[in-house]
Amino acid sequence: MFISIFNAVESGVIYAIMALGVYLSFRVLDFPDLTVDGSFVTGAAVAALSISNGMSTIMATLLALLAGFIAGGLTGILNTKGKINPLLSGILMMTGLYSINLRIMGQSNIPLLNEQTLFTKLVDGWSKLGIDRGISSLLNSIGLDRVPRTWGILIVMLIVTFVIKLVLDYFLKTELGLALRATGDNENMIRSFSANTDHLKILGLGLSNGLVAVSGALYAQYAGFADLNMGIGMIVIGLASVIIGESVIGTKTITRTTLAIIVGAIVYRIVMTLALRAPFLDTGDMKLITSILVIAALIVPKIVTGHKETKRKKLKRLELEQRLKGDA
Amino acid sequence: MLELSNISLTFNEATADEKIVLEDINLNLKKGDFVTVVGSNGAGKSTVMNVVSGSLFPDVGHVSINGNVVTALPEYKRSRFIGRVFQDPMAGTSPTMTIEENLAIAYSRQKNRTLKLGVNKNRRSFFQSTLATLNLGLENRLNMKVGLLSGGERQALSLLMATFTNPDILLLDEHTAALDPSRAELITNLTKKIVKETELTTLMVTHNMQQALDLGNRLIMMDKGQIILDISGAEKKALTIDKLLHEFQRIRGQQLNNDRAVLG
């Protein structure tokens, strides 16, 4: 139990980078971008191919970022220059990317189990520090006998994800970032303040899919393979993370919202893991559970506020009745 | 400063829906001119604004600003030197962003946007002192989301954002029409004050005849895509609503007779 939740958190932190990308397109640009299903795999494919050809793992991950940026930028060009509806631009790009991803990989699966990845190196370096042994004995002493093999991946990924979050927070407050946010909020207005909204959308979608591809690249190295079908349903997972996070943590400021999304991505993974443990559910039910989860995250907060509102009005009504009685 | 020459624009040409929206418009604004534009719905007032701002391109004719021909320049490039306030108070600001962030967007109008922070210490105090001139207390609410402001406050902010970087031209498109009378008066007075202080070359569309008479040094009346009346200086000062309506009937009546002569 503890191990599977631990693994859920670990992969959740990697998926959080993808969710931050989805936040950038879906919330900041107000652009429901389905490219994500394709660009996640593009990132994984580029990284896996580069690593198995002997490139350094960091270079491979950066190359994935670039590939994702280009994919997202193309979706932006379809939408702005080709005047194709946002949803359709994403679908066209996602469909096209499937073939491109297969071309990149040359086969439908690239195993990385025998390769040095970012994470194998990391685990090697980390284990020399001896922190794992300390944590393990601590956990053993409180009665957990099965403990995670290493904490290195989780801690380093948390740091990486938070650095990305902080850079994103800063970017969204720069002159360029403000213009990007205004593009999603009030396009006519920002155009009347001399911003080229076409370029901003292309840039925003590029950055968004760049993050998604980095997440794909890291996930491939974490899981030990890149697979042509690993991106299916990725956009829904991203949306689920954004929506769950926002309803749990809130969206008062940018800093808070991006934190919410990281939390959302982790919560999503944990819920899925717990659901999988239910004896009457199997892997095939996961998509349905994702849908139900998103629907719940969208509807429950509304029901709660609605309920509070009814209660408040009832109190007011009682107050009025009391006062009228007093007068009479 | 602003020159429109031989501007014509037709929508849906050669179809059943053909509509001539502008017909050979010629207009020349000197630096510091404040021109009010009146006319009934569909007269082409807003279209003139859109042609100047670059959100519509004319079929023929030229637009030049400050001696440079800008006819083919897209809106986002032209807006470096054109400030604009729309009729809808929601249109000129970004609702999910704070007051200071909105001001920062307007502040970056005349330069290339970079990766520097949009709001820094210096700019914040500049924004504060600029907002204080509105006398609405907005300077104490820099971190409030603009969506929470009232229509009047948002329109005042829009006006400030359109003008505080000193553009060459200010376009006001019925910017008080959606406000209640007292708020409309507030915005009208602000407009008067700002235009006077900054000597902006201004083109203002309005449906309010009295406003068109009170503001500005020149008045233009449009009808059916043409400028039918152009009054300035002392003559404009002496103008009343009655005279204006009378003038409209005189010109259009004449035309009506001409049309009859042609048809008959």
Side-chain angles (χ1 to χ4, degrees):
Chain A
M1 179 75 176
F2 180 72
I3 295 280
S4 47
I5 300 236
F6 179 85
N7 289 338
V9 175
E10 221 172 42
S11 58
V13 176
I14 297 175
Y15 276 126
I17 299 172
M18 182 270 298
L20 286 172
V22 172
Y23 163 71
L24 204 54
S25 58
F26 181 62
R27 283 289 191 237
V28 175
L29 276 179
D30 195 17
F31 189 113
D33 176 27
L34 300 187
T35 316
V36 172
D37 276 23
S39 58
F40 187 80
V41 186
T42 306
V46 168
L49 185 78
S50 311
I51 289 171
S52 54
N53 279 314
M55 193 186 272
S56 91
T57 51
I58 291 183
M59 273 307 291
T61 310
L62 290 177
L63 209 58
L65 173 78
L66 183 68
F69 186 90
I70 293 170
L74 284 173
T75 307
I77 290 171
L78 287 183
N79 171 242
T80 54
K81 307 294 177 195
K83 312 254 181 272
I84 300 174
N85 157 299
L87 269 175
L88 193 55
S89 313
I91 292 175
L92 290 169
M93 202 60 213
M94 171 187 88
T95 310
L97 277 178
Y98 190 85
S99 302
I100 292 174
N101 293 336
L102 184 58
R103 282 280 176 189
I104 294 172
M105 298 207 288
Q107 63 211 57
S108 63
N109 190 299
I110 299 182
L112 288 172
L113 289 173
N114 299 320
E115 305 287 343
Q116 282 282 315
T117 69
L118 214 54
F119 295 110
T120 55
K121 282 186 198 162
L122 206 125
V123 170
D124 287 348
W126 182 267
S127 60
K128 289 194 188 104
L129 295 175
I131 296 173
D132 284 335
R133 243 171 297 141
I135 299 177
S136 296
S137 58
L138 196 75
L139 288 174
N140 286 332
S141 69
I142 59 165
L144 286 165
D145 36 331
R146 291 188 55 211
V147 293
R149 206 164 47 87
T150 175
W151 289 77
I153 295 178
L154 178 63
I155 289 168
V156 172
M157 276 317 300
L158 270 174
I159 294 170
V160 170
T161 305
F162 267 90
V163 167
I164 292 177
K165 170 204 148 47
L166 291 175
V167 170
L168 191 62
D169 288 349
Y170 176 84
F171 171 70
L172 290 174
K173 285 178 192 144
T174 61
E175 292 169 343
L176 201 60
L178 290 177
L180 196 75
R181 284 162 63 197
T183 303
D185 205 17
N186 189 345
E187 204 177 328
N188 283 331
M189 169 259 188
I190 188 66
R191 218 181 285 130
S192 80
F193 288 109
S194 80
N196 185 342
T197 50
D198 286 2
H199 289 179
L200 284 166
K201 279 186 196 169
I202 294 168
L203 173 75
L205 290 172
L207 290 176
S208 159
N209 284 286
L211 288 177
V212 172
V214 164
S215 176
L218 292 173
Y219 193 79
Q221 297 177 61
Y222 170 75
F225 65 88
D227 189 275
L228 191 58
N229 294 317
M230 71 198 288
I232 295 176
M234 203 45 69
I235 180 67
V236 185
I237 297 177
L239 289 179
S241 308
V242 171
I243 291 163
I244 294 168
E246 285 179 347
S247 59
V248 174
I249 306 277
T251 58
K252 205 154 186 198
T253 60
I254 295 277
T255 325
R256 185 154 172 180
T257 313
T258 49
L259 176 71
I261 283 147
I262 296 175
V263 173
I266 297 170
V267 168
Y268 170 79
R269 280 283 134 195
I270 294 176
V271 172
M272 284 297 132
T273 308
L274 292 179
L276 258 177
R277 291 180 77 85
F280 52 92
L281 292 172
D282 62 41
T283 342
D285 297 327
M286 291 300 108
K287 300 265 181 227
L288 179 64
I289 293 169
T290 305
S291 292
I292 293 174
L293 199 60
V294 175
I295 293 168
L298 285 171
I299 293 176
V300 171
K302 278 186 202 140
I303 296 177
V304 171
T305 27
H307 196 72
K308 275 188 195 154
E309 197 62 0
T310 328
K311 220 167 156 186
R312 191 179 66 87
K313 285 191 179 149
K314 199 175 160 191
L315 270 175
K316 288 250 171 188
R317 204 174 59 230
L318 285 176
E319 246 174 59
L320 180 69
E321 276 168 16
Q322 287 279 315
R323 212 177 65 219
L324 290 175
K325 252 186 227 158
D327 287 349
Chain B
M1 179 53 97
L2 171 68
E3 199 179 339
L4 301 178
S5 45
N6 310 103
I7 300 271
S8 292
L9 178 62
T10 306
F11 288 153
N12 305 314
E13 193 158 30
T15 68
D17 295 330
E18 177 173 304
K19 183 171 176 10
I20 299 169
V21 279
L22 292 180
E23 202 181 341
D24 203 30
I25 296 284
N26 288 289
L27 182 65
N28 198 339
L29 265 64
K30 290 195 287 290
K31 190 169 168 43
D33 264 357
F34 184 171
V35 180
T36 54
V37 186
V38 294
S40 52
N41 285 339
K45 309 179 301 293
S46 293
T47 313
V48 167
M49 292 292 212
N50 287 333
V51 165
V52 174
S53 76
S55 47
L56 277 178
F57 295 97
D59 295 337
V60 289
H62 286 293
V63 182
S64 65
I65 296 173
N66 230 344
N68 304 314
V69 177
V70 297
T71 319
L73 223 54
E75 185 183 4
Y76 74 90
K77 280 192 182 157
R78 247 186 254 190
S79 52
R80 279 190 179 227
F81 24 84
I82 300 177
R84 192 169 186 192
V85 184
F86 304 89
Q87 177 178 2
D88 178 3
M90 306 297 148
T93 48
S94 174
T96 66
M97 296 166 75
T98 63
I99 294 178
E100 60 178 15
E101 286 171 338
N102 269 280
L103 284 164
I105 285 173
Y107 189 82
S108 312
R109 180 214 290 278
Q110 272 140 331
K111 53 202 215 71
N112 290 323
R113 292 186 163 84
T114 64
L115 290 177
K116 276 190 226 139
L117 278 178
V119 183
N120 58 30
K121 221 173 169 188
N122 282 338
R123 285 190 193 173
R124 185 170 289 132
S125 61
F126 171 65
F127 294 159
Q128 241 161 356
S129 59
T130 320
L131 278 170
T133 62
L134 293 179
N135 288 323
L136 292 172
L138 294 182
E139 63 276 16
N140 305 319
R141 293 188 270 167
L142 282 178
N143 282 313
M144 193 171 178
K145 288 199 173 151
V146 171
L148 299 171
L149 299 180
S150 73
E153 287 168 333
R154 282 183 78 163
Q155 203 63 330
L157 182 62
S158 304
L159 187 62
L160 189 73
M161 284 166 62
T163 53
F164 83 124
T165 51
N166 281 321
D168 291 334
I169 290 165
L170 175 63
L171 300 179
L172 304 170
D173 197 349
E174 294 181 47
H175 69 310
T176 62
L179 304 173
D180 70 60
S182 75
R183 292 286 121 179
E185 200 189 325
L186 173 92
I187 299 295
T188 307
N189 290 335
L190 268 176
T191 309
K192 212 187 268 182
K193 183 176 144 230
I194 289 174
V195 172
K196 198 176 165 198
E197 280 168 7
T198 54
E199 295 180 331
L200 276 169
T201 310
T202 305
L203 196 59
M204 178 177 102
V205 166
T206 178
H207 272 301
N208 182 335
M209 293 272 193
Q210 194 58 50
Q211 194 185 33
L213 296 176
D214 291 346
L215 292 173
N217 62 344
R218 185 171 164 193
L219 182 143
I220 285 172
M221 185 185 268
M222 288 189 70
D223 189 49
K224 295 179 183 140
Q226 295 169 318
I227 294 175
I228 56 167
L229 195 65
D230 186 345
I231 298 173
S232 55
E235 205 185 340
K236 156 123 189 338
K237 278 194 187 117
L239 211 57
T240 63
I241 293 182
D242 279 344
K243 273 191 201 164
L244 204 56
L245 289 174
H246 185 75
E247 198 64 9
F248 175 72
Q249 270 157 3
R250 190 181 61 81
I251 296 168
R252 272 313 170 196
Q254 246 175 25
Q255 182 142 357
L256 232 52
N257 289 335
N258 285 346
D259 288 349
R260 257 184 223 131
V262 171
L263 290 170

